[in-house]
Amino acid sequence: GAFPDTTSSPRLLETVQKGLDDFMTDADLADGAESIAKIAVVYSWATRKYYKHGGIGWSQEISGWGHLLIEEGLPFDMIVAEKLTESALLSPYDLVILPDVIYLSNATCMAIEAYVANGGNILMTGESSFGDEKGFLHSQMTLATVARVQWVSSIDGCFAIGRKAEPEPAMGLFQCVRSSGEPITFRVETDPSGSVAGWYDPLPMKTSEWPVAVCNTYGKGSCLYVAFGIGSFYQRFHHEGIAKFMAELVDSVLPSRQMMLHGARMIEASIWRQSAKNRLIIQLANRSQCPEDMGRLNNVAPIAGVQVEFDAPFSNPKVSSRGADVHAQVDGSRVK
């Protein structure tokens, strides 16, 4: 930009140049590297365009799941629904998350259905597939057959999620569905007079007939349906109990975790394969400075005391690190 006339600030140029130089020291890591993450999160342009509730609510669900996966040390890819027209595009993934993506085309839904029928696993929330790519709503979710649910009605407001210890508070647009599948837990109704503190946590009253989460098999695969935007709720309130519940849901449909990451919960892991160089690359970044607003990050904090554990993709692997000291232990096919 102009500073003060038609020239850029020397300090600004110096800062940008330093950033580019830092990236280029590791440029060889990007050469031919392909993500081998086993989880995919679906983003829908149509849902953003036609989001029926207005505002940026469409982004909250996808952000909440993104934060949860980062906190659990689970690498993931973002895939665009409008480009998803054949099931082969999903075959590399063990789990595909549909975060309240309301508007999906028939072609996308057919690709997802074929993926599950062939052994894939999906986790879908809220009103996913309730409309088409042109913004028109259906009477039922297009993926209702895969989820084995039948929509009855919706309720907006506070409720609680039945848990072993005690109900967890929740809020949002809840989809009342009937299902032939296996309910994981049920909606707990709350005091209609509201919370004493005027917040989102009214007193739990009685368990309802409506499942919060239900798991079904479809063909060789499985579908876990969550009846409200749990990611959106987590994005807003960062509730620890909800984070644990979301992690349990992921683990219930994910065959196994690609890696185990022990350390601060806001350390993001991504995983890449360079076939030409016979190299696996794991990148770690500390996102703990401002987790509720990634756009406000202006530097990346150091990482220390982190343990990563994964299966070696090669025989006799050798481990090296850039930007930190690393101590590696190889036990058979397992690397720590």
Side-chain angles (χ1 to χ4, degrees), residues 1-8:
F3 181 93
D5 41 40
T6 58
T7 59
S8 294

Side-chain angles (χ1 to χ4, degrees), residues 101-290:
V101 281
I102 303 175
Y103 301 99
L104 297 175
S105 69
N106 283 334
T108 298
C109 290
M110 288 176 63
I112 294 170
E113 182 177 353
Y115 162 75
V116 178
N118 290 326
N121 306 288
I122 65 171
L123 191 162
M124 56 184 283
T125 68
E127 299 174 278
S128 291
S129 79
F130 228 117
D132 64 22
E133 77 281 14
K134 296 181 179 179
F136 295 103
L137 295 172
H138 309 305
S139 59
Q140 292 287 335
M141 291 177 282
T142 304
L143 291 172
T145 303
V146 178
R148 299 191 188 281
V149 297
Q150 182 181 20
W151 182 83
V152 178
S153 62
S154 59
I155 309 171
D156 198 5
C158 294
F159 61 96
I161 300 171
R163 302 283 278 154
K164 287 183 179 180
E166 61 179 346
E168 294 286 359
M171 95 182 341
L173 185 63
F174 187 91
Q175 308 301 319
C176 300
V177 299
R178 302 197 187 281
S179 174
S180 58
E182 180 181 350
I184 294 175
T185 186
F186 288 89
R187 172 189 171 105
V188 177
E189 302 298 350
T190 55
D191 189 341
S193 62
S195 172
V196 174
W199 203 37
Y200 67 91
D201 191 11
L203 182 69
M205 303 291 283
K206 63 177 183 178
T207 301
S208 75
E209 63 179 304
W210 307 116
V212 170
V214 58
C215 191
N216 306 276
T217 57
Y218 182 81
K220 299 178 181 178
S222 64
C223 172
L224 194 156
Y225 174 69
V226 183
F228 77 109
I230 189 171
S232 179
F233 179 78
Y234 183 55
Q235 175 71 6
R236 292 175 62 189
F237 298 106
H238 300 283
H239 195 285
E240 182 181 0
I242 293 298
K244 291 181 179 179
F245 181 50
M246 292 171 71
E248 290 173 12
L249 293 176
V250 169
D251 284 329
S252 71
V253 285
L254 187 66
S256 63
R257 293 200 174 203
Q258 189 171 16
M259 69 169 63
M260 299 298 294
L261 194 153
H262 307 284
R265 283 183 60 80
M266 285 310 294
I267 292 178
E268 179 180 8
S270 58
I271 187 165
W272 308 81
R273 178 77 175 262
Q274 277 183 315
S275 298
K277 298 184 179 182
N278 216 30
R279 183 158 63 181
L280 180 81
I281 303 165
I282 294 175
Q283 294 179 326
L284 304 176
N286 191 341
R287 304 294 194 190
S288 60
Q289 292 168 288
C290 195

Side-chain angles (χ1 to χ4, degrees), residues 57-69:
W58 63 270
S59 70
Q60 299 299 295
E61 182 72 4
I62 199 168
S63 295
W65 279 104
H67 281 135
L68 185 280
L69 293 174

